[in-house]
Amino acid sequence: MLSFPGLKLSNIDAPSAGSPITVTDEGMLVVPDDPVIPFIEGDGIGPDITRAMKLVVESAVNKAYDGKRQLFFWEVYAGEKCNKMFGNWLIDDTLKAIKYFKVAIKGPLTTPVGEGIRSINVRLRQALELYACIRPVRYFDGVPSPLKEPWKVNMVVFRENMEDVYAGIEWPNGSVDCAKVRNFLTNEMGITLREDVGLGLKPISVFGSKRIMRKALKYAIEQGRSSITIVHKGNIMKYTEGLFRACCYEVAREEFSGLTVIEEEAQQKATSSLPRSKVLVKDRIADAMFQQILLRPEDYDVIVTPNLNGDYLSDAIAATVGGLGIAPGANVGDEVAVFEATHGTAPKYAGMDKVNPTSLILSSVMMLEHIGWKEAAALIIKGIERAIQSRIVTYDLARQMENATEVSCSKYAETICKNM
């Protein structure tokens, strides 16, 4: 048994092979040639797409590095499987493991609507301080799309992950606590509310808003992106989403002044052209932005939003290029990153080896890029592009494509491997 100093687990065994990824004092990843990658297979279709993802990633790493590098996937637990094994939907060992090894990947997890357990996804993000949900959306040639020109879509959404209504601060109607909050608002603040309300808070802080904008701007600059758009509803929620907008602009002006140009200021100066070396910073009202992604997608590059807006918007953008089945995602903090499928658990297809695993496979591409293994990431992209262009795809795409060959989830993964 290998020794991992400082890793103390109560319910699961430590990895039998591999080494941990570490982080320097300056926040830089130090990645060995044999990193341990904790994974949560997920609920419903999770096991099917996780097997497919692992096959593709292991094949790409082997082909890219000829055996000189290897990932060691190590299972940790959350969701239905975790509850059956340990009587808990999320165990401390899982959190400890992800914190220790720094990089993890997960399938979709069940969250009941309206009642039952609190979202495990939200608990993971909050416990691990994964404050940035990052969702890149791009078009793959051959994928059916509702847009006439879907190839114009190439956006990356940075969604603040810790605050807003997703903070989970709410009280059910009829409860004692809800009555206390309602009475305080009525008696102390003069706010009239119906007796049968449910109540929740929408916290948005200066700290959280600046932190997500800072990460989004650094990404835009490093990746040579042309613009960043702040998406908000500050015209109505002036002291929450309005604050978010103001904080984002403050970061751009005060921390990145030499690298950015503000759209409004450029317009006031009647500037006809903008410096290509600078990132254009602009903002749009959330409801108007949904129209913009359909009518003028080429005008938008990096998007930064509060939590709820980002959830809606990233799903909507994914729909323009074929849906959540081909949309990857990551939840990232200052040290830890968890990559995930962006869709749900689709329990009616569980165990059928049927569904499209591309979302999780593309999330693994993000993971490989995150640890600096870009050669392996590029091979996977090539494999996906060729599989789709050859029309050998899973049922969700095959039913929309002419002369397509429908294959299983596992067969699709094998096709990707052959096309690397």
Side-chain angles (χ1 to χ4, degrees):
M1 182 70 68
L2 293 177
S3 175
F4 295 96
L7 179 64
K8 297 180 180 179
L9 303 173
S10 302
N11 294 296
I12 61 178
D13 293 330
S16 58
S19 305
I21 294 171
T22 58
V23 178
T24 68
D25 292 339
E26 293 76 30
M28 302 297 292
L29 287 185
V30 179
V31 182
D33 289 334
D34 60 343
V36 173
I37 304 294
F39 75 93
I40 299 168
E41 67 175 12
D43 300 329
I45 59 173
D48 288 346
I49 64 173
T50 297
R51 279 192 297 271
M53 176 274 297
K54 289 168 64 181
L55 174 68
V56 170
V57 172
E58 288 168 349
S59 178
V61 169
N62 185 55
K63 289 181 179 181
Y65 307 114
D66 196 25
K68 295 177 182 178
R69 288 178 174 176
Q70 182 179 358
L71 294 180
F72 286 90
F73 285 106
W74 170 54
E75 186 172 12
V76 295
Y77 302 94
E80 294 174 345
K81 185 175 183 178
C82 183
N83 192 44
K84 289 178 182 177
M85 293 176 66
F86 306 108
N88 198 331
W89 293 85
L90 177 62
I91 56 174
D92 287 341
D93 280 0
T94 296
L95 298 174
K96 291 177 183 177
I98 296 173
K99 284 181 181 179
Y100 188 88
F101 291 102
K102 307 303 180 189
V103 174
I105 191 165
K106 59 176 282 295
L109 294 171
T110 298
T111 300
V113 176
E115 58 184 16
I117 62 167
R118 185 181 168 201
S119 169
I120 304 167
N121 293 317
V122 172
R123 288 169 62 190
L124 280 167
R125 294 166 193 167
Q126 293 181 342
L128 297 169
E129 198 70 18
L130 306 175
Y131 62 85
C133 179
I134 306 172
R135 292 187 176 181
V137 185
R138 53 153 290 189
Y139 179 66
F140 285 89
D141 186 34
V143 174
S145 166
L147 292 189
K148 291 181 179 179
E149 300 175 310
W151 52 87
K152 291 183 177 180
V153 177
N154 188 357
M155 305 180 208
V156 183
V157 178
F158 277 72
R159 165 189 169 198
E160 200 288 320
N161 232 357
M162 307 294 293
E163 301 185 329
D164 204 352
V165 292
Y166 278 65
I169 308 171
E170 56 179 358
W171 302 272
N173 75 302
S175 68
V176 173
D177 287 340
C178 187
K180 288 180 180 178
V181 177
R182 176 183 170 275
N183 289 337
F184 171 80
L185 293 172
T186 300
N187 299 330
E188 301 295 329
M189 307 297 290
I191 298 172
T192 302
L193 294 169
R194 297 183 187 276
E195 292 185 2
D196 58 355
V197 296
L199 291 172
L201 289 181
K202 180 186 175 72
I204 289 183
S205 70
V206 171
F207 175 81
S209 300
K210 288 188 173 183
R211 181 169 64 172
I212 188 67
M213 181 59 169
R214 196 174 291 120
K215 184 171 280 290
L217 262 175
K218 285 180 179 178
Y219 173 88
I221 293 165
E222 290 169 359
Q223 298 298 319
R225 294 277 182 159
S226 61
S227 70
I228 183 166
T229 305
I230 307 157
V231 179
H232 61 92
K233 195 66 179 170
N235 57 328
I236 303 300
M237 291 171 275
K238 300 179 186 299
Y239 306 123
T240 51
E241 299 206 14
L243 175 65
F244 181 87
R245 173 186 180 274
C247 288
C248 288
Y249 273 125
E250 188 173 326
V251 169
R253 289 188 174 102
E254 295 184 0
E255 300 180 31
F256 297 86
S257 60
L259 299 169
T260 61
V261 57
I262 308 302
E263 181 184 55
E264 183 179 5
E265 295 170 0
Q267 290 173 343
Q268 289 173 353
K269 295 177 182 178
T271 304
S272 58
S273 61
L274 298 170
R276 291 187 178 182
S277 61
K278 294 188 177 183
V279 177
L280 176 65
V281 181
K282 52 191 175 180
D283 74 279
R284 299 291 184 267
I285 301 298
D287 47 337
M289 189 62 185
F290 280 90
Q291 176 175 257
Q292 291 291 297
I293 64 173
L294 297 176
L295 300 180
R296 303 178 66 90
E298 68 274 16
D299 290 349
Y300 299 95
D301 200 335
V302 177
I303 294 168
V304 61
T305 85
N307 208 331
L308 183 61
N309 293 340
D311 197 0
Y312 293 154
L313 196 61
S314 57
D315 284 11
I317 299 171
T320 68
V321 297
L324 289 177
I326 57 171
N331 296 294
V332 180
D334 289 330
E335 290 193 0
V336 177
V338 178
F339 300 83
E340 64 177 359
T342 59
H343 52 70
T345 59
K348 71 177 182 178
Y349 294 122
M352 294 175 64
D353 192 24
K354 183 179 180 69
V355 300
N356 187 346
T358 307
S359 173
L360 191 59
I361 292 172
L362 286 173
S363 297
S364 75
V365 169
M366 294 179 69
M367 180 185 74
L368 290 169
E369 291 173 341
H370 180 73
I371 65 173
W373 292 15
K374 295 182 180 180
E375 298 85 359
L379 283 178
I380 296 175
I381 293 294
K382 183 184 294 184
I384 292 172
E385 289 175 339
R386 290 177 173 174
I388 292 172
Q389 289 165 8
S390 67
R391 300 176 183 269
I392 302 174
V393 291
T394 49
Y395 83 98
D396 56 316
L397 297 180
R399 64 187 178 185
Q400 303 178 68
M401 300 168 68
E402 293 183 5
N403 302 316
T405 300
E406 179 181 330
V407 294
S408 66
C409 173
S410 57
K411 186 66 177 178
Y412 176 68
E414 293 171 7
T415 302
I416 294 172
C417 294
K418 290 176 182 177
N419 280 285
M420 288 179 186

